[in-house]
Amino acid sequence: MILTPPYNSNVLRRYTNLSSLIYLLSKRRITFLDPEGWDDKNDTHFLSVYKKRLGAKSVLAICFTQSVETYHHWKVFSGSPDGVCINFNKSELLKRFSGDGRIIQGVVKYEYIRDLKKRKFITNEELPFLKRWPYRPEKEYRIVFVDVDEENKSFDFDIDLSSIKSITLSPWIPESIRHSIRSNLKKIRGCEKVKIFKSTLIQNGEWQQCAEEIG
C-alpha cells in the first residue's frame, strides 16, 4: 500500500523563504521562475521539450502543493529557519490568472516509467504536468507562464493579498526571533490582519501531552 498525504481542496501551499515572502507581500507580486534551476532534472527536461515544441522564448513556472502540511514539504522546499509556507485560498488566487493567454495551469500527474514508455505520444498539454511516480506525495499544482516572444529568467505577476489565508513560519525558527519576524511582517502595508504562526510540526504540545495523559 502507498500512503500519501490527503488533499486540501481549496488551499494551495507555497513553500519558500523569508526574503521571497517579504518581496511578495511588499510588492504584491508572485514570481515565475526558470525550471533550469530545479533539483529534479527529469522535470526540467520535460519543460524544456515543451518549450522547444512551442518554439517559445520563455517557459517559467510556480509550484504549489495541495497536500496538508508534511515534514517532507518543509524539509525539501523550506528546510531552514527562514523557511515559510504561504497558504493561499486556491479559488481566489487562481482567479488572478484566468483569462491570461500566457498562463496554463493544472494538477501534476504522476506516472511510472513503464507506463509512460507504453504510450504512443505525449501531448503538448500534458508535458508541463507530468512527473515520475516517486514524486507523487508532493501533490503538486503548477502554474506555467509561456512567452513566445521574449526570453526571461523570471516574471512577476500581480496578485491580491486577500488571496492569502495565512502564513506559517518554519518549525525550526528560533523562538527568540519568531515574534520579531511576525511583528515586522505585519508592518507591511495590507498585512496587518494576515494570520501568521509558527508550525508545530516537530514540537506540538497537544501531541506530547497525549503521552502523559493517555493510559
Side-chain angles (χ1 to χ4, degrees):
M1 175 185 289
I2 298 175
L3 297 176
T4 58
Y7 283 92
N8 192 322
S9 60
N10 198 36
V11 176
L12 289 179
R13 289 182 167 83
R14 169 75 174 159
Y15 288 86
T16 184
N17 55 47
L18 192 57
S19 58
S20 295
L21 171 64
I22 292 171
Y23 182 83
L24 183 150
L25 295 177
S26 59
K27 300 293 185 180
R28 290 166 170 73
R29 293 174 181 168
I30 195 164
T31 305
F32 288 82
L33 295 173
D34 192 333
E36 283 299 320
W38 291 357
D39 192 43
D40 180 6
K41 298 308 177 187
N42 298 310
D43 203 3
T44 300
H45 183 72
F46 267 52
L47 282 159
S48 69
V49 172
Y50 176 68
K51 180 180 177 181
K52 190 180 299 182
R53 283 192 187 181
L54 294 186
K57 295 290 187 181
S58 303
V59 172
L60 311 172
I62 309 174
C63 304
F64 304 85
T65 179
Q66 296 186 102
S67 167
V68 297
E69 181 187 38
T70 70
Y71 183 82
H72 164 87
H73 286 95
W74 276 114
K75 199 65 176 177
V76 173
F77 301 110
S78 298
S80 66
D82 78 335
V84 298
C85 177
I86 311 170
N87 308 292
F88 289 97
N89 180 300
K90 181 181 178 181
S91 56
E92 289 298 317
L93 179 66
L94 297 188
K95 272 186 208 174
R96 182 64 192 90
F97 300 104
S98 63
D100 191 314
R102 301 169 297 176
I103 301 287
I104 59 171
Q105 56 183 288
V107 175
V108 170
K109 182 179 179 182
Y110 303 91
E111 289 203 27
Y112 288 109
I113 293 175
R114 63 173 181 266
D115 293 331
L116 197 62
K117 289 174 71 175
K118 293 175 184 177
R119 288 186 180 221
K120 293 184 178 179
F121 57 85
I122 303 172
T123 67
N124 287 353
E125 291 76 19
E126 290 179 289
L127 268 175
F129 304 104
L130 273 177
K131 291 185 75 169
R132 289 191 59 197
W133 185 262
Y135 290 88
R136 185 168 175 255
E138 291 179 357
K139 294 188 179 296
E140 184 180 338
Y141 190 95
R142 180 173 293 176
I143 304 176
V144 179
F145 173 85
V146 180
D147 194 323
V148 296
D149 299 316
E150 291 190 31
E151 185 175 352
N152 296 293
K153 292 297 182 183
S154 65
F155 182 82
D156 282 353
F157 209 94
D158 293 340
I159 63 167
D160 192 328
L161 295 186
S162 64
S163 63
I164 298 176
K165 291 172 68 73
S166 61
I167 294 166
T168 311
L169 303 179
S170 169
W172 298 283
I173 190 172
E175 284 298 314
S176 58
I177 65 171
R178 175 173 68 91
H179 294 293
S180 175
I181 294 295
R182 182 178 181 275
S183 175
N184 280 289
L185 288 175
K186 282 186 170 288
K187 289 177 182 176
I188 298 174
R189 183 174 58 87
C191 299
E192 299 83 0
K193 295 183 179 180
V194 175
K195 296 177 182 177
I196 303 172
F197 52 88
K198 176 184 175 179
S199 171
T200 63
L201 189 67
I202 63 172
Q203 189 168 2
N204 185 289
E206 289 184 275
W207 174 266
Q208 293 178 9
Q209 193 173 2
C210 289
E212 305 292 336
E213 296 182 351
I214 300 175

